[in-house]
Amino acid sequence: MIIARPEWFGIRKYGGWGISIKTWQGAVYIAGVVSFLVLIQLTPLNTEQRAIITGAWLIFVFIDLFDVMWKVKKDKREYLHEAIAERNAAWAMMTILVIGILTELLYNAMQKKIYVDPFMITALIIGAIVKSITYYKLEKEA
């Protein structure tokens, strides 16, 4: 915990992943983060210097908010709802990735070449690995 506090935020249930603002302190924190980003862009530094400062700031904010996301309190029902929602999101993303890979294969086959975006293949492979490791750990603990 660096600056942000878990009690300022709640879990984001709608509209993606992460956290949502719960108190006025969380709103001030987010406003400060955004204001500092705008301030960096308004400085008379060259593009490379602004990019470095912006990158460092975003890394700091990511670490700070990741710590908060990890520590936000949830009850048993919220854990269950989150697990079901995450499972459904994973299935939807996997379906779209598979359709994208098949579309790309068909398109490239008509061009008489074989190519598939390695990021789409990597996403499916990493997903399968994470799922396998998770099952292995859960069954070992049971």
Side-chain angles (χ1 to χ4, degrees):
M1 184 166 32
I2 302 170
I3 296 173
R5 303 283 181 258
E7 55 271 11
W8 299 349
F9 301 94
I11 60 171
R12 176 172 285 175
K13 296 178 184 177
Y14 313 103
W17 290 267
I19 53 178
S20 62
I21 298 169
K22 190 166 137 181
T23 66
W24 68 269
Q25 293 96 332
V28 170
Y29 177 85
I30 297 298
V33 166
V34 172
S35 297
F36 192 72
L37 279 173
V38 170
L39 184 68
I40 292 168
Q41 302 314 310
L42 295 175
T43 59
L45 301 171
N46 67 40
T47 306
E48 184 178 319
Q49 291 170 327
R50 277 196 313 268
I52 290 169
I53 294 169
T54 300
W57 178 245
L58 290 175
I59 289 170
F60 168 78
V61 170
F62 175 78
I63 291 169
D64 198 25
L65 290 179
F66 185 78
D67 181 59
V68 168
M69 285 187 276
W70 192 260
K71 293 177 180 174
V72 168
K73 300 283 187 234
K74 296 177 264 191
D75 63 23
K76 195 173 185 177
R77 182 185 54 83
E78 287 173 321
Y79 274 110
L80 179 62
H81 288 188
E82 184 179 47
I84 292 168
E86 293 292 339
R87 180 207 57 201
N88 292 346
W91 275 103
M93 289 185 284
M94 183 190 69
T95 301
I96 297 302
L97 282 171
V98 168
I99 290 169
I101 289 169
L102 292 175
T103 302
E104 199 167 22
L105 280 171
L106 288 171
Y107 174 78
N108 285 319
M110 291 189 293
Q111 308 281 328
K112 296 190 178 174
K113 54 184 178 172
I114 298 174
Y115 176 79
V116 176
D117 185 347
F119 285 103
M120 292 199 299
I121 297 291
T122 303
L124 287 176
I125 291 170
I126 297 297
I129 291 170
V130 169
K131 181 180 178 181
S132 298
I133 291 170
T134 303
Y135 265 118
Y136 176 76
K137 285 186 73 175
L138 291 172
E139 287 178 354
K140 192 174 181 183
E141 290 172 1

